[in-house]
Amino acid sequence: MSTVSHESNAGPGSLEGQAHVAGADHARVAPGEIAIGVIIGRLSEMFDFFVFGIAAVLVFPSVVFPFVDKTTAMYYSFGIFSLAFVARPFGSLLFRLIHDWYGRGTKLTIALFLLGTATAGIAFLPGYEKIGVASVVILAICRIAQGVALAGTWDGLPSLLALNAPPERRGWFAMIPQLGGPLGFLLAAGLFVFLLLQLKPDDFLAWGWRYPFCVAFAINVVALFARLRLVVTPEFSHLLKSRELEPAPLGELFRTQRASILLGAFAPLGSFALFHLVTVFPLSWASLFTQDAITDYLFVQIAGAVLAVISMLVSGKVADRIGRRATLAISAVLIAIFSIVGMLPVFQEGSRLGAYLFILVGFVLLGFSHAQAAGAINSTFPSRYRYSGAIVTSDFAWLVGAAFAPLVALFLASNLGVGYVGLYLLSGAVGTLLALGVNRNLEMRDD
């Protein structure tokens, strides 16, 4: 992967401009460096994501919403959880302006600083018993800030990694960024398990739960420097420009790429719905409707995360052999079967073994499907629109497929039975198959 010397187009006061001289002696940006930057960035984002998701089940119903019954408190907590996804499209617009005015490096710095500040703010959040409804308001504001910040962390690394992969290995390289999902969950769940086992319940709710948010802040700092090391170099900027991974006019994007945005948002629907149904939802179900120890479910989910990593590696190999579209279609069919065969008998009888099997099998399917989800989003656009299209489509995909999944699943399980959660997951798989059927151009383009 060779690069040539050039003058940065960023302003002299931007991070890109300041880094031009400092990075001029670098001959190239190695693919391995890009892969490491991608994994570190995604892992930090997913760790943040799952720390909040687990706390939404184990902490916030008691600490922030003690004035209502347990089920209603969980509804409220999941409502706050969804705010980050609602805020993401607005964050993308905001950071698009920052990118245009100050450059990519400044945008990434502001985004990760905001993400770390919001996360640290949650760590020091007073409970409802101390400040009343203000606790709810502060939590909501911090969650919205997390969503806005996550939208700004898009740096083009995943697209660059996939586009610079050999044609016969693009499924494998599209899988690499997605490894941050199960790895982030594994770290978050492991930390909560340690605290739950070491602390008394009162101590955990009083102060123990705050430590994962402090750790998330520290990981964000490490991720910031790891990614800036690449993003602010002239060589990296040249690679992005040579691949046309620059923001496109939004008006033109929506005018010419409406179909790709819509289909790209629905292509990973089954995977994104399953994303929360094997991580956050089982914890809420066990907390409300069983007397089982939550740590037991977390241990099973940690094992599931390991299986998800393995199935992601398999998915990368399979996608290189049969294509991304066929791999996504197979995963959607498997999720559809799982939604019927898995959900109806597993939780319905209250079987702990059945619930564990649901989690483990669900993680395997999640890894296999989620490994190609982002690649599907990116590959629906011509090169001119790939950067902006990937951001917009990803925002809408998470909003439609994942934002309200824990809330909807809990409502269905509480009022209609767990079997109806399976129908909800089935609808996501059907949405994926319909999108794949309509759009037959999901393979990676080079134009």
Side-chain angles (χ1 to χ4, degrees), residues 20 52 59 61 89 97 99 106 120 127 161 194 217 226 229 235 253 323 334 351 357 390 399 429:
H20 183 71
F52 193 99
V59 177
L97 296 176
H99 185 153
T106 301
L161 180 65
F194 175 79
F217 176 80
R229 180 177 177 273
E235 289 72 32
L253 174 69
L334 292 175
S351 167
L357 289 175
L399 179 61

Side-chain angles (χ1 to χ4, degrees), residues 12-13 16 42 57 115 127 161 234 250 284 294 304 310 315 347 360 366-367 369 404 426:
E16 283 90 338
R42 190 59 59 87
V57 175
L115 181 61
L161 180 65
L250 289 180
S284 66
I294 290 295
I310 297 172
S315 178
F347 286 123
L360 294 175
L366 175 62
S369 60
F404 302 100
L426 177 63

Side-chain angles (χ1 to χ4, degrees), residues 56-57 61 69-79 276-277 280-289 343 404-418 420-422 424:
V57 175
D69 63 88
K70 290 181 60 176
T71 302
T72 303
M74 198 75 73
Y75 287 147
Y76 289 168
S77 186
F78 283 163
H276 286 151
L277 293 185
V280 179
F281 170 70
L283 296 178
S284 66
W285 183 86
S287 176
L288 292 174
F289 304 118
M343 290 300 297
F404 302 100
L407 185 61
V408 172
L410 179 60
F411 176 83
L412 292 174
S414 300
N415 294 278
L416 300 175
V418 179
Y420 286 88
V421 179
Y424 173 70

Side-chain angles (χ1 to χ4, degrees), residues 285 297 345-356:
W285 183 86
Y297 283 82
V346 165
F347 286 123
Q348 203 77 6
E349 301 299 325
S351 167
R352 178 187 294 189
L353 177 61
Y356 292 170

Side-chain angles (χ1 to χ4, degrees), residues 271-357:
S271 172
F272 283 9
L274 185 61
F275 198 82
H276 286 151
L277 293 185
V278 297
T279 55
V280 179
F281 170 70
L283 296 178
S284 66
W285 183 86
S287 176
L288 292 174
F289 304 118
T290 76
Q291 300 298 318
D292 300 335
I294 290 295
T295 50
D296 293 343
Y297 283 82
L298 285 170
F299 274 124
V300 174
Q301 289 180 320
I302 289 172
V306 174
L307 294 178
V309 171
I310 297 172
S311 65
M312 281 186 168
L313 301 178
V314 172
S315 178
K317 293 291 187 181
V318 172
D320 285 336
R321 286 183 173 272
I322 67 175
R324 179 179 298 113
R325 183 174 176 274
T327 304
L328 282 174
I330 291 172
S331 66
V333 171
L334 292 175
I335 291 173
I337 295 173
F338 176 70
S339 66
I340 298 173
V341 177
M343 290 300 297
L344 287 175
V346 165
F347 286 123
Q348 203 77 6
E349 301 299 325
S351 167
R352 178 187 294 189
L353 177 61
Y356 292 170
L357 289 175

Side-chain angles (χ1 to χ4, degrees), residues 23-373:
D25 58 340
H26 289 272
R28 64 182 63 238
V29 178
E33 289 184 280
I34 299 175
I36 292 172
V38 167
I39 293 175
I40 290 176
R42 190 59 59 87
L43 187 149
S44 68
E45 294 167 9
M46 289 295 101
F47 181 80
D48 260 35
F49 178 90
F50 284 118
V51 164
F52 193 99
I54 295 173
V57 175
L58 305 183
V59 177
F60 300 142
S62 300
V63 174
V64 183
F65 303 106
F67 52 91
V68 294
D69 63 88
K70 290 181 60 176
T71 302
T72 303
M74 198 75 73
Y75 287 147
Y76 289 168
S77 186
F78 283 163
I80 297 288
F81 177 78
S82 68
L83 291 178
F85 300 95
V86 177
R88 280 184 66 158
F90 300 99
S92 293
L93 293 175
L94 171 63
F95 282 100
R96 165 63 182 267
L97 296 176
I98 295 175
H99 185 153
D100 291 342
W101 294 341
Y102 302 107
R104 194 187 312 269
T106 301
K107 182 199 76 165
L108 183 61
T109 301
I110 294 174
L112 288 175
F113 180 80
L114 177 61
L115 181 61
T117 301
T119 303
I122 297 172
F124 294 99
L125 176 72
Y128 181 86
E129 294 183 354
K130 291 186 177 180
I131 60 173
V133 72
S135 179
V136 180
V137 174
I138 294 173
L139 179 62
I141 292 173
C142 288
R143 185 58 175 167
I144 292 171
Q146 284 187 318
V148 171
L150 281 171
T153 59
W154 175 256
D155 51 20
L157 281 172
S159 293
L160 183 63
L161 180 65
L163 287 169
N164 281 276
E168 70 278 4
R169 300 200 67 196
R170 282 177 175 156
W172 177 264
F173 278 84
M175 170 273 302
I176 289 176
Q178 306 301 80
L179 289 171
L183 292 177
F185 179 83
L186 193 154
L187 291 177
L191 186 53
F192 272 100
V193 165
F194 175 79
L195 292 170
L196 287 168
L197 292 178
Q198 296 299 315
L199 300 176
K200 297 178 180 179
D202 290 343
D203 290 336
F204 174 78
L205 290 177
W207 52 268
W209 66 270
R210 303 177 188 276
Y211 280 95
F213 288 92
C214 295
V215 173
F217 176 80
I219 290 178
N220 280 329
V221 173
V222 175
L224 171 62
F225 286 101
R227 295 163 79 175
L228 283 178
R229 180 177 177 273
L230 287 176
V231 170
V232 302
T233 60
E235 289 72 32
F236 179 82
S237 297
H238 173 70
L239 284 174
L240 290 172
K241 291 177 182 178
S242 67
R243 285 296 192 169
E244 298 186 66
L245 291 175
E246 295 289 339
L250 289 180
E252 182 181 333
L253 174 69
F254 283 103
R255 186 174 63 254
T256 63
Q257 303 296 313
R258 288 190 298 268
S260 292
I261 292 173
L262 180 63
L263 294 173
F266 277 86
L269 201 59
S271 172
F272 283 9
L274 185 61
F275 198 82
H276 286 151
L277 293 185
V278 297
T279 55
V280 179
F281 170 70
L283 296 178
S284 66
W285 183 86
S287 176
L288 292 174
F289 304 118
T290 76
Q291 300 298 318
D292 300 335
I294 290 295
T295 50
D296 293 343
Y297 283 82
L298 285 170
F299 274 124
V300 174
Q301 289 180 320
I302 289 172
V306 174
L307 294 178
V309 171
I310 297 172
S311 65
M312 281 186 168
L313 301 178
V314 172
S315 178
K317 293 291 187 181
V318 172
D320 285 336
R321 286 183 173 272
I322 67 175
R324 179 179 298 113
R325 183 174 176 274
T327 304
L328 282 174
I330 291 172
S331 66
V333 171
L334 292 175
I335 291 173
I337 295 173
F338 176 70
S339 66
I340 298 173
V341 177
M343 290 300 297
L344 287 175
V346 165
F347 286 123
Q348 203 77 6
E349 301 299 325
S351 167
R352 178 187 294 189
L353 177 61
Y356 292 170
L357 289 175
F358 168 80
I359 292 171
L360 294 175
V361 175
F363 263 105
V364 171
L365 293 178
L366 175 62
F368 189 79
S369 60
H370 194 61
Q372 301 302 319

